[in-house]
C-alpha cells in the first residue's frame, strides 16, 4: 500500500498483516495527499486508516515543531477515545523522533501546558480542552499541516458544533484533512464543507449498520424486573467481560452497586467521574480485574477492548444510532459478540426507532412486544402498554416475573 517498511514491520509485530476495508480504501488517498471523508461503523480499524498515512507523511517530511505549535492535530469527542488513539499511534512512532501529546479535560491543565511549550508533532485532543489551552495562549494551530476529526458525528451529538466552527477558523487553509464518522447527519455537511477540500469519499458499510458478527436479541421486561434479569444473564458468563449501558450517571452508579452486592466485580464510568477514576476503571476492565463495566454513552464510541463478549442495553438509548455504537463495543478484531437489549413498556418508541435504523427486527429472546395504545391526552401520540392475551412467552420471563408480566400502567415518555 506504499507504507514504509518500518511501519509494516511494527504492524506485523502486532499480528496485523491484512488491511480492513476502510484502511484499504482510505490509506492510498491519504498517502497521495487528498482530503478524505471516511464513513464506517465502529470497530472497523479507522484509527489506523488515518494513523498510518499521517505518521508516514510526517516521516517523509522530517522537521521539528515550533514551541507551542503542532504539526498535526487529531480531534476526538471523548477522553477515552483520545487516549486510545494516542496509545495506538505510540506503537507506530516508537524509536522515531515523532512526539505525540494528549490534552483532554478532567486532567490537570498545567502539566499539559508545560508539555506543549516544547512543540508537538501529533496532538490528540478533545475540543473543549483544546480551546481552553488556546485561550491561555499555551498553543497555536497556525502551523498544523494535518488534521483528523475522528467520530465527528459524536462531536456533534455532544454539542461541540460551536467549538468545531471556532477551531476551523484557527487552522491554516493549506493542510490535509481526514474526517471519519459512523453516520452522516445533516449538520455534518456543514462541518465537511468547513474542513474538507474536494475530499475523496470512502464508505465501506451503510450508516447505521450493526457489526456483522454481533448476535442481537431483545427481552421485553418490566422496568422493575430489569436488575434481576441482568443478574441472571450475567451469571451465565461470569468469566467473560460484559459492558452494560444505562442512560444516567446516577442510575449507572446505582446499578453498579446492585451488581456488586450480587457478587460481580464491577465498575462504573460516566461524565461525573474524574479522568483518573475513568482510566483506572478501564484499566481494571481491560485486564480482567473488573468483569462488568456499567457506562453511559460516554463509552459508546472509541472503547476498544477486544475481549468484551457481551453488551447489554440495560436502558435503550434515546438516539437510535447510539445503539449501533454501543453494540460495536463487542465483536471487535474479528471476534464474535452478543448484544442483549432490555425493553420496558416506556421504551417501545426507542426500540422501533432502533429497528428502523437497523433496517431489521431484533430477535426476541423473552416476553412479547408491548402494545402501543392511543394516548387520550395527546392526539396522534401514543404510549406503550403491555399487549394482552395469547402466547406463552411473558414479559420478563426468566427474571422471576409472574405470568402476565407487569401490571398495566399509564404511558410515560422516556427520560
Amino acid at each position: 500500500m506504499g507504507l514504509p517498511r518500518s511501519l509494516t514491520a511494527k504492524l506485523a509485530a502486532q499480528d496485523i498483516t491484512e488491511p480492513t476495508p476502510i484502511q484499504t480504501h482510505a490509506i492510498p488517498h491519504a498517502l497521495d495527499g487528498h482530503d478524505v471523508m471516511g464513513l464506517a461503523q465502529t470497530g472497523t480499524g479507522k484509527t489506523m486508516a488515518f494513523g498510518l498515512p499521517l505518521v508516514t507523511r510526517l516521516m517523509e517530511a522530517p522537521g521539528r515543531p515550533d514551541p507551542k505549535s503542532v504539526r498535526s492535530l487529531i480531534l476526538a469527542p471523548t477522553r477515552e477515545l483520545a487516549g486510545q488513539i494516542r496509545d495506538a499511534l505510540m506503537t507506530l512512532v516508537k524509536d522515531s523522533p515523532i512526539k505525540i501529546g494528549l490534552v483532554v479535560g478532567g486532567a490537570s491543565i498545567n502539566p499539559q501546558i508545560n508539555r506543549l511549550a516544547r512543540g508537538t508533532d501529533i496532538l490528540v485532543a478533545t475540543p473543549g480542552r483544546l480551546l481552553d489551552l488556546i485561550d491561555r495562549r499555551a498553543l497555536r494551530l497556525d502551523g498544523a499541516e494535518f488534521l483528523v476529526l475522528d467520530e465527528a458525528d459524536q462531536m456533534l451529538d455532544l454539542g461541540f458544533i460551536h467549538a468545531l466552527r471556532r477551531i476551523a477558523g484557527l487552522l491554516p487553509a493549506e493542510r490535509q484533512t481526514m474526517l471519519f464518522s459512523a453516520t452522516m447527519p445533516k449538520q455534518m455537511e456543514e462541518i465537511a464543507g468547513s474542513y474538507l477540500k474536494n475530499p475523496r469519499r470512502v464508505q465501506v458499510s451503510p450508516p447505521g449498520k450493526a457489526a456483522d458478527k454481533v448476535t442481537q436479541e431483545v427481552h421485553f421486561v418490566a422496568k422493575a424486573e430489569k436488575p434481576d434479569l441482568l443478574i441472571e444473564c450475567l451469571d451465565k458468563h461470569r468469566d467473560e467481560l460484559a459492558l452494560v449501558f444505562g442512560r444516567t450517571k446516577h442510575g449507572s452508579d446505582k446499578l453498579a452497586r446492585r451488581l456488586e452486592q450480587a457478587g460481580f466485580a464491577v465498575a462504573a464510568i460516566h461524565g461525573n467521574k474524574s479522568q483518573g477514576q475513568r482510566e483506572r476503571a478501564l484499566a481494571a476492565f481491560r485486564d480482567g480485574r473488573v468483569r462488568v463495566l456499567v457506562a453511559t454513552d460516554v463509552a459508546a464510541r472509541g472503547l476498544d477492548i477486544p475481549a468484551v463478549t457481551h453488551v447489554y442495553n440495560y436502558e435503550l438509548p434515546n438516539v437510535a444510532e447510539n445503539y449501533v455504537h454501543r453494540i460495536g463495543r463487542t465483536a471487535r478484531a474479528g471476534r464474535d459478540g452478543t448484544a442483549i437489549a432490555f425493553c420496558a413498556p416506556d421504551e417501545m418508541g426507542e426500540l422501533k426507532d432502533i429497528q428502523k435504523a437497523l433496517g431489521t427486527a431484533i430477535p426476541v429472546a423473552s416476553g412479547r412486544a408491548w402494545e402501543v395504545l392511543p394516548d387520550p391526552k395527546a392526539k396522534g401520540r401514543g404510549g406503550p402498554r403491555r399487549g394482552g392475551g395469547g402466547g406463552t412467552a411473558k414479559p420478563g420471563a426468566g427474571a422471576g416475573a409472574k405470568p402476565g408480566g407487569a401490571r398495566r400502567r399509564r404511558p410515560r415518555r422516556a427520560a
Side-chain angles (χ1 to χ4, degrees):
M1 299 187 72
L3 296 169
R5 288 185 179 180
S6 59
L7 287 185
T8 56
K10 290 173 181 176
L11 294 174
Q14 302 175 55
D15 294 326
I16 301 173
T17 57
E18 295 292 332
T20 66
I22 187 66
Q23 293 163 3
T24 298
H25 290 85
I27 289 175
H29 291 310
L31 288 175
D32 287 341
H34 297 294
D35 284 6
V36 175
M37 177 187 290
L39 296 176
Q41 64 199 46
T42 57
T44 54
K46 285 183 285 185
T47 301
M48 287 300 174
F50 63 75
L52 286 167
L54 173 59
V55 172
T56 298
R57 301 210 67 200
L58 288 173
M59 292 170 64
E60 291 173 346
R64 295 180 62 86
D66 293 330
K68 296 185 179 182
S69 70
V70 301
R71 296 181 65 194
S72 53
L73 172 66
I74 301 174
L75 288 176
T78 67
R79 311 170 198 170
E80 284 73 23
L81 179 55
Q84 288 183 173
I85 292 171
R86 187 270 313 269
D87 294 343
L89 297 186
M90 288 293 287
T91 65
L92 301 180
V93 303
K94 186 179 180 181
D95 302 322
S96 83
I98 297 174
K99 303 299 181 185
I100 300 178
L102 174 70
V103 292
V104 296
S108 176
I109 198 169
N110 290 327
Q112 295 178 1
I113 292 173
N114 293 335
R115 287 191 292 270
L116 291 171
R118 298 186 290 271
T120 310
D121 293 294
I122 301 175
L123 181 65
V124 188
T126 51
R129 177 50 59 95
L130 180 71
L131 289 176
D132 287 343
L133 290 162
I134 290 172
D135 289 341
R136 292 174 181 237
R137 300 188 178 182
L139 172 69
R140 66 178 194 269
L141 302 179
D142 56 355
E145 305 165 47
F146 307 95
L147 172 69
V148 177
L149 288 86
D150 194 20
E151 302 288 8
D153 51 348
Q154 193 189 16
M155 283 194 264
L156 297 183
D157 290 344
L158 295 177
F160 287 129
I161 180 67
H162 298 297
L164 291 176
R165 287 171 180 156
R166 184 180 169 199
I167 291 169
L170 300 174
L171 292 161
E174 294 300 318
R175 65 173 191 273
Q176 182 183 9
T177 302
M178 291 177 274
L179 182 153
F180 287 83
S181 181
T183 61
M184 195 68 182
K186 290 182 179 179
Q187 269 191 321
M188 189 63 68
E189 296 292 344
E190 177 196 339
I191 294 299
S194 301
Y195 279 92
L196 301 168
K197 292 183 179 179
N198 302 316
R200 300 298 189 265
R201 184 181 175 112
V202 176
Q203 182 171 340
V204 298
S205 63
K209 184 179 183 296
D212 293 332
K213 292 197 172 186
V214 179
T215 301
Q216 301 177 67
E217 61 184 46
V218 59
H219 294 264
F220 293 101
V221 54
K223 183 176 182 180
E225 295 165 352
K226 284 187 178 185
D228 289 336
L229 178 57
L230 178 61
I231 289 170
E232 180 177 314
C233 291
L234 290 172
D235 204 40
K236 296 175 182 177
H237 56 91
R238 277 184 175 264
D239 294 332
E240 297 174 318
L241 298 188
L243 188 54
V244 180
F245 282 104
R247 282 188 188 170
T248 67
K249 303 165 189 176
H250 173 72
S252 296
D253 282 335
K254 183 178 179 181
L255 180 59
R257 290 192 295 270
R258 177 74 178 269
L259 295 177
E260 189 173 30
Q261 292 169 358
F264 293 96
V266 61
I269 61 170
H270 50 67
N272 279 357
K273 300 284 187 180
S274 70
Q275 183 64 17
Q277 288 174 317
R278 288 159 71 163
E279 289 177 354
R280 287 191 293 273
L282 286 173
F285 187 53
R286 237 182 225 103
D287 63 26
R289 287 178 287 125
V290 164
R291 296 286 181 177
V292 182
L293 185 66
V294 183
T296 56
D297 277 317
V298 71
R301 302 207 200 176
L303 266 186
D304 187 11
I305 303 175
V308 173
T309 60
H310 291 72
V311 169
Y312 290 91
N313 278 279
Y314 182 79
E315 293 172 307
L316 297 182
N318 291 316
V319 179
E321 288 79 6
N322 284 351
Y323 173 85
V324 178
H325 305 316
R326 287 180 177 189
I327 70 174
R329 300 308 100 207
T330 188
R332 299 180 74 82
R335 305 187 188 192
D336 295 326
T338 301
I340 301 171
F342 293 174
C343 181
D346 58 2
E347 294 175 301
M348 275 303 294
E350 283 84 352
L351 180 63
K352 289 184 176 183
D353 290 343
I354 288 167
Q355 293 184 139
K356 182 178 179 181
L358 294 174
T360 185
I362 300 173
V364 178
S366 73
R368 62 186 185 275
W370 306 96
E371 182 183 357
V372 178
L373 300 178
D375 184 348
K377 294 184 178 180
K379 185 178 179 180
R381 293 170 53 193
R385 292 192 180 184
R386 179 176 58 84
T392 56
K394 306 298 181 184
K402 295 180 181 180
R407 63 183 176 85
R408 293 177 70 85
R409 64 188 69 193
R410 293 186 64 82
R412 295 185 304 169
R413 294 185 65 188

